[in-house]
Amino acid sequence: MGADLTDIISCFDCEPVGYRFLPLTVGHINQTYRVNSPEKPLYILQQINHKIFRDIEGLMNNTEMVLKALSGTMRYINDGLKVQQLVKTRDAKLYHCDDSGNYWRLFSYIEGGKTIETVRKNNIAYEGGRAFGLFLDGVSSIKPSSLAITIPDFHSMLKRYSAFLEALSTDAVGRSSEVQKEIALIKSRYDRMQYIPNLLNTGGIPERVVHNDTKFNNLIFSENGKAIAVTDLDTVMPGSALFDFGDAIRTAANTAREDEPNLQKVGFDIAIFEAFAAGYIESAEHLLVDEEIQLFPEAAMLITYTQGMRFLSDFLNGDTYYRVRYPRHNLVRANVHLQLFREMEKQMPAMRKAIGRILSRLNIEKS
Ligand code: GN1
Ligand code: MG
């Protein structure tokens, strides 16, 4: 990547003081840099992947709208969550387009923060749930139709399945023969996984403005284990709380990283599930309806299944979507998700019981 980052940052409305740029490895889509002044980190600079996010104007307007809604939500702020600020360009735009046609944006840096890849403690899971629940509350003032659709059908399992079949029949790089077991598993669960998509289609579950990319490392934590910010707002769009809950669980309750090559390390941690669910339900209780809460276990399975299918499709397509560090990286990620999915199938009754416990505790507290 050839852009001169000093040139890029000089287009934004900030002091021109000999910055240093540190490429960050989080995220599979955009390229992110931490911008340090000589003394301390000050900004987050991002090159937006415009092959994936085609409507940059819409995306950045969404971001501005979401940040504004969150900043105006007293509960969000009072509960200790910080809101990133967008630094505009010198000509007061939300992003900069460079000479090569690449798009850039600049955020303020949230101080004292770290991200967590593998969740090992229940109180961290609870905190994460609380933060994503508060986020749901914070964006509930936004009218769904006012947001641009940054990626159409983002969480449509049915569309993702069609794309998977397409990748399979094209077999662009001749990889299908080595993934027959994975293909068989995905096909065998397809009918079963249509339960939530059918309910969404028939209006059985409320449509809301949701985050849509609630992997756990999109939360920023303080050193003492408090969630202090929710980041990565690119896919905030109309959707379902089931997507946010499920996506957070596939990352938080996995005992391994999402690209752990040793599948024996991949397990489903029911205690983490329960702690996250408690935080999420408690903080968004006034919004969530019973139908949604009861479907949380099913949603965790659906998102894990779909994510496995997305990684496998990208492997079959020759790694055109997610950034990979080695040739079979997407296959490793797919297998982690399919393994986690199988573990979740076994623990479905335990997940349902956990949700039941949380609800009865909340009911007792209310009465
Ligand atoms: C991508 O780039 P990142 O890590 O924020 C993807 C998510 C996936 C995730 C898998 C726009 O998110 O949907 O869940 O990878 N984002 C997009 O870890 O496709
Ligand atoms: Mg993302």
Side-chain angles (χ1 to χ4, degrees), residues 27-30 53 211 213 215 218 232 234-235:
H28 304 332
I29 311 284
N30 297 324
F53 294 106
H211 185 285
D213 189 4
K215 59 202 281 194
N218 276 331
D232 193 354
D234 295 337
T235 48

Side-chain angles (χ1 to χ4, degrees), residues 7 18-19 66-67 90 96 101 203 248 285 310 316 334 347:
D7 280 356
Y19 295 114
V66 171
L67 294 176
R90 295 197 181 276
H96 167 69
E285 201 199 352
R310 288 176 65 188
L316 291 168
Q347 302 223 33

Side-chain angles (χ1 to χ4, degrees), residues 26-30 52-53 151 154-155 160 212-213 215 217-218 232 234-235 247 250-251 258 307 310-311 321-322 337:
V26 289
H28 304 332
I29 311 284
N30 297 324
I52 289 178
F53 294 106
I151 300 184
F154 192 59
H155 275 297
R160 298 288 183 186
N212 280 313
D213 189 4
K215 59 202 281 194
N217 68 6
N218 276 331
D232 193 354
D234 295 337
T235 48
D247 209 13
R250 73 144 183 115
T251 49
E258 86 168 8
Q307 190 64 63
R310 288 176 65 188
F311 282 133
Y321 189 90
Y322 297 109
H337 285 84

Side-chain angles (χ1 to χ4, degrees), residues 316-332:
L316 291 168
N317 287 334
D319 311 315
T320 58
Y321 189 90
Y322 297 109
R323 194 166 30 246
V324 288
R325 286 199 307 278
Y326 54 93
R328 296 164 73 85
H329 201 172
N330 271 322
L331 179 57
V332 167

Side-chain angles (χ1 to χ4, degrees), residues 73-92:
T73 309
M74 282 329 285
R75 204 170 149 238
Y76 199 77
I77 308 296
N78 289 343
D79 268 39
L81 286 160
K82 299 183 184 168
V83 183
Q84 281 179 303
Q85 302 299 318
L86 267 173
V87 181
K88 290 193 179 164
T89 61
R90 295 197 181 276
D91 48 0

